[in-house]
Amino acid sequence: MSEDADALRARFLAELDRAETAEAVEAVRVAALGKSGAVTALLKSLGGLAPDERIRVAPVFQALRDALANAVEQKKGVLAAAALEARLAAERLDMSLPVPPEPLGSIHPISRVMDELAEIFADLGFAVAEGPEIEDDWHNFTALNIPPEHPARAMHDTFYIGGDGAGRVLRTHTSPVQIRTMTGGRPPIRIIAPGRVYRSDSDATHTPMFHQVEGLVIDRDTHMGQLRWTLETFVKAFFGVDDVVLRLRPSFFPFTEPSVEVDVGCSWEGGRLQIGGSGSWLEILGAGMVHPKVIANCGLDPAAWQGFAFGCGIDRLAMLKYGMTDLRAFFDADLRWLRHHGFGALDVPTLSGGIGA
Ligand code: PHE
């Protein structure tokens, strides 16, 4: 009898070994341990044995039953794990985003230059101020000492809007932010105000919308020497050139007295304009000491407070720094142009980006 048990064990283990599906394993289990299975029959036969024989073989049969039951469970586990593996491999989903070979778009040179300006002037203690692009006549002109009918209004080709008598204009310069800053807070004041401005003018060097940055310092003992130092420090940092010479020429703005136009020394090397030296001069901005009338218009005492202001075209600065020749290209949204000038899609618009320091 125990010989039968050994033979059955060997046969069923071999069959289990060959079984490759859950169904095949189940068939082996039924053949061995099912109701009319071979091992079940063996166990049933114990009842017909003599007591001492039964005591001898019962443990052998029971061990055979347990061993086969274990082997069946184990084989089922192995097959289930393999089936899961196969299913995971077959149903695999790639959750990662496809990366396009070359992303499109980039930070615009004007935005880049504005960030650079904010960074440079922050180091000098200037905050960034803002004002609306739709201005009223008072902030854009009258408070800046340009009363109605004043001939200086003709210097700006103003876009008047509304026609409702409210006297609104698209701001023609960033100087109204001077007024808003002085009326909206207490001196001492140190701000720059970059932003869009509008004039009815359009050709190769003028666009109806362009960008300026205004600078304003109001304190008790401010003077032209500080203006000059501030502008020099700014130009050096912006262009990354130490050999910078500024030339201040007398000029006229209604809101500054005295007024100057500021030229930066430059040279032409291989047909390309280089900032530095004093071979040629390039006008870059207007500036001056804030007119006492402007200070008084803002409710401050001009005997106690004075200061300087400057206004500078940002588009021009960007062209000079990045070697661009046609202002209109700024508005063409042509990616090839951006790439040509080294503006990449993955450029991060950090404040210090582009600064040669
Ligand atoms: N607002 C003047 C312009 O647009 C520039 C300027 C600003 C001049 C501040 C002097 C002081 O031309």
Side-chain angles (χ1 to χ4, degrees):
M1 274 298 194
S2 60
E3 289 73 32
D4 283 358
D6 286 343
L8 284 177
R9 176 192 296 257
R11 187 180 113 208
F12 285 126
L13 286 181
E15 280 181 22
L16 270 183
D17 212 35
R18 283 195 298 275
E20 276 177 7
T21 61
E23 292 75 38
V25 173
E26 180 62 10
V28 176
R29 187 192 68 77
V30 171
L33 308 168
K35 249 191 212 146
S36 33
V39 177
T40 311
L42 215 50
L43 286 162
K44 276 184 190 158
S45 72
L46 286 176
L49 295 180
D52 51 343
E53 175 73 350
R54 189 190 314 149
I55 287 171
R56 192 177 62 81
V57 296
V60 177
F61 294 174
Q62 281 152 1
L64 170 61
R65 180 194 58 202
D66 294 347
L68 287 179
N70 274 339
V72 164
E73 283 314 304
Q74 204 190 337
K75 183 74 188 199
K76 275 187 181 167
V78 168
L79 287 179
L84 184 63
E85 277 301 314
R87 201 173 141 203
L88 283 176
E91 296 179 8
R92 185 161 173 272
L93 268 187
D94 185 359
M95 303 296 279
S96 57
L97 272 179
V99 178
E102 194 182 348
L104 302 173
S106 79
I107 184 87
H108 195 278
I110 300 290
S111 310
R112 167 79 148 257
V113 166
M114 286 194 185
D115 286 345
E116 293 170 10
L117 292 169
E119 168 89 354
I120 293 168
F121 278 101
D123 278 354
L124 302 179
F126 286 66
V128 173
E130 282 181 322
E133 290 172 30
I134 296 176
E135 259 301 3
D136 55 59
D137 190 281
W138 188 78
H139 285 93
N140 195 77
F141 291 123
T142 310
L144 286 162
N145 197 29
I146 318 176
E149 315 307 333
H150 191 282
R153 289 205 179 198
M155 285 164 67
H156 299 191
D157 306 290
T158 311
F159 285 114
Y160 293 91
I161 54 174
D164 53 2
R168 280 175 302 163
V169 299
L170 290 180
R171 66 178 179 190
T172 57
H173 50 179
T174 42
S175 299
V177 185
Q178 289 189 33
I179 305 301
R180 292 191 176 273
T181 309
M182 281 190 272
T183 54
R186 300 292 309 163
I189 290 168
R190 271 195 292 272
I191 57 109
I192 60 162
R196 294 190 175 120
V197 300
Y198 302 83
R199 291 185 201 175
S200 179
D201 205 353
S202 185
D203 59 35
T205 52
H206 297 90
T207 48
M209 187 279 284
F210 57 105
H211 303 82
Q212 286 189 335
V213 59
E214 194 81 7
L216 176 70
V217 170
I218 300 287
D219 212 327
R220 293 190 188 273
D221 303 298
T222 330
H223 54 77
M224 290 281 278
Q226 295 166 343
L227 167 63
R228 188 186 184 111
W229 180 88
T230 303
L231 293 176
E232 242 168 41
T233 306
F234 154 60
V235 171
K236 281 180 190 173
F238 182 75
F239 290 106
V241 176
D242 275 335
D243 165 36
V244 162
V245 189
L246 291 187
R247 184 171 77 175
L248 276 59
R249 278 182 291 109
S251 185
F252 172 77
F253 300 102
F255 34 90
T256 46
E257 180 58 36
S259 301
V260 289
E261 262 163 338
V262 179
D263 302 333
V264 61
C266 59
S267 66
W268 290 90
E269 271 169 31
R272 238 195 101 157
L273 186 71
Q274 301 284 324
I275 301 295
S278 55
S280 308
W281 299 99
L282 190 77
E283 185 192 323
I284 53 163
L285 55 87
M289 299 306 292
V290 179
H291 199 296
K293 278 195 188 166
V294 173
I295 292 180
N297 286 343
C298 294
L300 298 174
D301 178 4
W305 302 103
Q306 343 95 50
F308 61 79
F310 57 87
C312 178
I314 290 181
D315 312 74
R316 186 77 182 290
L317 285 183
M319 289 170 78
L320 283 171
K321 179 162 179 176
Y322 294 107
M324 296 149 173
T325 48
D326 191 338
L327 180 63
R328 289 170 295 194
F330 279 127
F331 307 101
D332 286 346
D334 186 338
L335 290 173
R336 292 167 304 175
W337 176 79
L338 284 172
R339 279 192 213 111
H340 173 75
H341 288 290
F343 287 82
L346 297 179
D347 283 356
V348 179
T350 58
L351 291 184
S352 53
I355 295 176

